[in-house]
Amino acid sequence: MAKRQAEEPLEEVEANVSPASKRVRVSDVTNNGGEEPGGVTGEPESTEEDEEELDHSANIRQDAPTEGYTDLYLDTINRAVLDFDFEKLCSITLSNINVYACLVCGKYFQGRGPKTHAYFHALEEAHHVYVNMQTKKVYVLPEGYEVKNRSLEDIKFVVDPRLPKYDVLRLDKEPDEVWDLSGKKYRPGFVGMNNIKENDYFNAVIQALAHIPPLRNFFMLEDLSSKSELAQRYSILVRKIWNTRAFKSHVSPHELLQQVSRQSNKKFDLLHQSDPVEFLCWFLNNMHLALGGSKTKPGTSIIHRVFQGKLRVESQQITAKADAGDRLRFEEAAEVHVDTPRYLILTLDLPASPLFQDEIDKNIIPQVPLTSILSKYDGVRAQEQANMRKRYRLLHPLPPFLLLHIKRFSKNKFVSERNPTIVTFPVRSLDMSPYVEPNPNMHPPGEPIWYDLVANVTHEAVRIRDDSVEGEAERKVWRVQMRDRARNEWLEVQDLFVEKVATETLFTKESYLMVWEKRRRENKGKGAK
């Protein structure tokens, strides 16, 4: 579009001296012999349109708002479209350097200078207010000055929610219900999480970890700006889950999931469903290293201090020999090898499900108590693996939080099988003392070691129509059950759906991953009754 010429000179209107036009230095454009092309030397001629464009660009930039107009354009901010959960990439260049978010449409742009995409977006779309995603400073474009207004504090808080220590410590003590922008009531800490494609396995694990108090408090209060990107992004997601002033009653794990996908070489991503326990193992080990933990020394990060324990493994080799009658005879080696490895997750094996069922029992689902499959670690019952017989026994001290994996899936060369056995368990007061080797120096003999359930990741097989030769296939659905400590209630979360569940019905689902918290032992002093 051609630029309209001024009707009268600027000097007559403003009574000011026009600024000197910017000249090009001779040294920048001279060539052989110091002469201009065509034999002309000196300053090149500049057109009136070029001078007008330079003067206009210089006048439009301001260091501060015009007096009396400090809140200009703030009424154009649309909080309903703001979503800071996605990865901070420029919508045009896909760069993550110096990213600004438009507070009118919610798009990300790189930079705010006169030649940046945010600058052109402000001119073309008349969207004038932007926030820097790193510094949380708000600017008006194309003028370029910073806006300091208390009405923007809620936006800055949502970009990077940080609760003071007092509020973090009372999250599990005082029940809190708040409302989002649409007027929907939600509980901080018990919010839905977007299932972008096939990342429900990821959502269930992250939700469970966000309800382990020492781990949650660490990532909400510690300054992790010097740590790796994995630790920083997980910290932001935990703080958004427990945000008490959120614009919406759900969060998206996109930013953390993208980092996990890159760091795991796309083993865990949002396009393909994975196993929650496999992801949890990878996540805990990589988070331990991201926080500066050692590969050899125990207890060097919050991950090991919360989950790591030690067990004793006795291994005995089994050999097969033929006797005089050419019959095989199995003999146990005289030597028993003892090892004491460390663990983060304990695996529990289910009894084999019945192969055949009669007409009466065809609808009966087998059940087994949790204490029965925990007997794997009593140090008495042996398990055979290949040509080895092994016995397991837990050692003191047990970790503050126990992660129990109930192994339901098995694979062979031909097919993958699922064991639908239901595991029954108490929600409170699980005694782990029968599975721990006594040590009077650490725990009084005969005294129970109580654990209470914190979270329970469950599996559900949903049949889908399949026209292939194999018949119907099953789709895996992952949910997580979590305890609201402030209200002593249980809630079940599946992606965006959050609902209350009865405590008595928790075990009716196929438990796959359980988080148990060690109850603090009461100190019985001399004056205690």
Side-chain angles (χ1 to χ4, degrees):
M1 180 183 295
K3 297 187 178 181
R4 182 173 59 87
Q5 299 295 330
E7 296 179 356
E8 50 185 336
L10 183 63
E11 292 82 351
E12 297 180 7
V13 178
E14 298 290 343
N16 292 327
V17 180
S18 177
S21 59
K22 298 180 180 179
R23 303 296 186 183
V24 182
R25 291 179 300 178
V26 177
S27 59
D28 294 337
V29 295
T30 56
N31 54 4
N32 296 334
E35 295 184 356
E36 294 290 329
V40 181
T41 59
E43 298 177 348
E45 295 181 0
S46 59
T47 63
E48 294 182 2
E49 289 188 358
D50 292 339
E51 290 185 2
E52 183 181 352
E53 183 176 356
L54 290 171
D55 293 342
H56 178 71
S57 177
N59 291 335
I60 203 172
R61 304 293 286 182
Q62 300 176 219
D63 295 330
T66 306
E67 185 177 356
Y69 295 92
T70 56
D71 57 350
L72 192 64
Y73 304 125
L74 297 188
D75 59 335
T76 63
I77 296 176
N78 187 2
R79 287 171 171 80
V81 301
L82 299 182
D83 189 350
F84 303 123
D85 293 344
F86 288 88
E87 194 169 13
K88 310 303 184 294
L89 298 178
C90 175
S91 57
I92 298 177
T93 65
L94 299 182
S95 172
N96 61 353
I97 301 174
N98 197 22
V99 176
Y100 288 78
C102 175
L103 298 185
V104 181
C105 64
K107 293 181 179 179
Y108 293 148
F109 298 97
Q110 184 180 14
R112 60 182 178 90
K115 295 184 179 180
T116 60
H117 297 290
Y119 186 89
F120 292 127
H121 182 72
L123 293 176
E124 294 171 359
E125 304 293 338
H127 294 176
H128 298 286
V129 192
Y130 297 80
V131 59
N132 186 295
M133 301 306 297
Q134 186 68 28
T135 64
K136 296 184 289 184
K137 293 182 178 180
V138 180
Y139 296 89
V140 167
L141 298 183
E143 288 82 352
Y145 60 83
E146 182 182 356
V147 180
K148 298 179 180 179
N149 194 301
R150 293 185 63 86
S151 65
L152 301 173
E153 293 300 320
D154 61 332
I155 296 178
K156 295 180 180 181
F157 185 83
V158 172
V159 170
D160 187 15
R162 291 186 180 274
L163 295 176
K165 184 176 181 180
Y166 171 78
D167 291 340
V168 172
L169 296 179
R170 72 179 186 91
L171 288 175
D172 297 328
K173 300 177 182 178
E174 301 179 12
D176 194 8
E177 286 188 343
V178 293
W179 288 261
D180 62 7
L181 286 180
S182 62
K184 182 179 179 181
K185 183 187 296 186
Y186 73 94
R187 298 184 186 182
F190 300 88
V191 296
M193 191 174 292
N194 277 337
N195 185 359
I196 304 172
K197 185 69 176 179
E198 294 288 345
N199 57 283
D200 55 344
Y201 73 96
F202 178 94
N203 296 351
V205 171
I206 296 299
Q207 291 272 24
L209 293 178
H211 285 78
I212 299 176
L215 198 65
R216 175 200 65 195
N217 296 351
F218 176 86
F219 282 99
M220 292 186 70
L221 296 175
E222 292 294 324
D223 182 14
L224 302 176
S225 57
S226 61
K227 302 299 181 181
S228 72
E229 198 71 18
L230 181 68
Q232 293 183 36
R233 295 193 179 193
Y234 176 69
S235 173
I236 293 176
L237 183 57
V238 171
R239 285 184 269 120
K240 288 181 177 180
I241 291 175
W242 290 93
N243 187 4
T244 56
R245 301 186 312 199
F247 287 168
K248 56 188 186 302
S249 58
H250 62 275
V251 296
S252 175
H254 181 267
E255 195 170 14
L256 176 61
L257 195 51
Q258 289 292 88
Q259 180 63 28
V260 168
S261 177
R262 284 192 293 267
Q263 201 162 327
S264 65
N265 295 323
K266 296 187 177 180
K267 181 179 180 181
F268 306 104
D269 58 12
L270 53 85
L271 299 177
H272 306 91
Q273 196 175 62
S274 300
D275 186 88
V277 173
E278 291 182 6
F279 166 69
L280 179 62
C281 293
W282 179 93
F283 186 77
L284 292 180
N285 288 320
N286 281 267
M287 185 61 71
H288 168 70
L289 298 177
L291 296 174
S294 171
K295 292 184 178 180
T296 56
K297 296 181 180 180
T300 53
S301 76
I302 185 67
I303 302 297
H304 282 185
R305 291 194 293 270
V306 170
F307 299 115
Q308 193 178 66
K310 185 186 292 186
L311 58 85
R312 189 186 73 230
V313 181
E314 297 178 351
S315 303
Q316 195 172 18
Q317 189 174 8
I318 301 175
T319 57
K321 296 181 179 179
D323 57 8
D326 201 21
R327 292 176 300 181
L328 285 179
R329 184 176 72 252
F330 294 95
E331 297 179 354
E332 297 178 355
E335 182 182 359
V336 177
H337 180 70
V338 180
D339 193 14
T340 56
R342 298 184 181 272
Y343 64 87
L344 293 176
I345 303 176
L346 293 176
T347 301
L348 305 178
D349 301 316
L350 291 173
S353 56
L355 296 177
F356 302 100
Q357 295 176 338
D358 56 21
E359 195 66 26
I360 299 177
D361 297 337
K362 65 179 181 179
N363 294 325
I364 297 178
I365 301 176
Q367 299 183 18
V368 61
L370 178 62
T371 54
S372 176
I373 57 178
L374 273 171
S375 60
K376 170 184 178 180
Y377 297 97
D378 61 5
V380 178
R381 302 187 185 185
Q383 294 191 351
E384 294 185 3
Q385 299 178 2
N387 63 335
M388 301 291 292
R389 176 175 293 173
K390 295 186 176 183
R391 287 182 290 271
Y392 303 92
R393 192 72 185 267
L394 302 179
L395 301 177
H396 282 293
L398 290 180
F401 287 83
L402 271 178
L403 298 175
L404 302 182
H405 166 217
I406 300 175
K407 190 175 181 181
R408 292 191 175 275
F409 302 98
S410 59
K411 292 182 180 181
N412 53 34
K413 295 182 180 180
F414 306 101
V415 69
S416 174
E417 297 180 343
R418 175 179 63 91
N419 192 328
T421 302
I422 296 296
V423 178
T424 60
F425 53 86
V427 175
R428 293 178 60 85
S429 302
L430 173 66
D431 186 13
M432 291 294 297
S433 60
Y435 319 107
V436 186
E437 185 173 334
N439 188 343
N441 296 328
M442 293 188 177
H443 192 82
E447 186 173 327
I449 306 174
W450 300 119
Y451 275 82
D452 300 324
L453 187 64
V454 174
N456 182 33
V457 177
T458 65
H459 166 266
E460 181 181 358
V462 179
R463 291 186 177 181
I464 58 177
R465 185 174 181 178
D466 190 358
D467 297 330
S468 62
V469 179
E470 290 81 3
E472 291 186 344
E474 291 182 343
R475 179 172 63 89
K476 297 176 182 178
V477 176
W478 300 101
R479 297 183 177 90
V480 58
Q481 302 165 340
M482 301 173 292
R483 179 162 67 96
D484 186 349
R485 299 167 183 262
R487 298 175 179 83
N488 197 24
E489 297 176 348
W490 282 87
L491 291 93
E492 185 176 73
V493 180
Q494 179 195 356
D495 299 332
L496 295 176
F497 301 97
V498 182
E499 60 181 1
K500 290 183 182 180
V501 290
T503 307
E504 298 79 9
T505 62
L506 294 180
F507 69 89
T508 59
K509 303 290 182 66
E510 295 182 9
S511 298
Y512 191 68
L513 175 65
M514 310 178 79
V515 183
W516 293 84
E517 180 182 9
K518 187 177 182 180
R519 192 182 300 174
R520 292 184 179 180
R521 189 161 55 96
E522 297 180 0
N523 295 325
K524 297 182 180 180
K526 295 181 180 180
K529 295 181 180 180

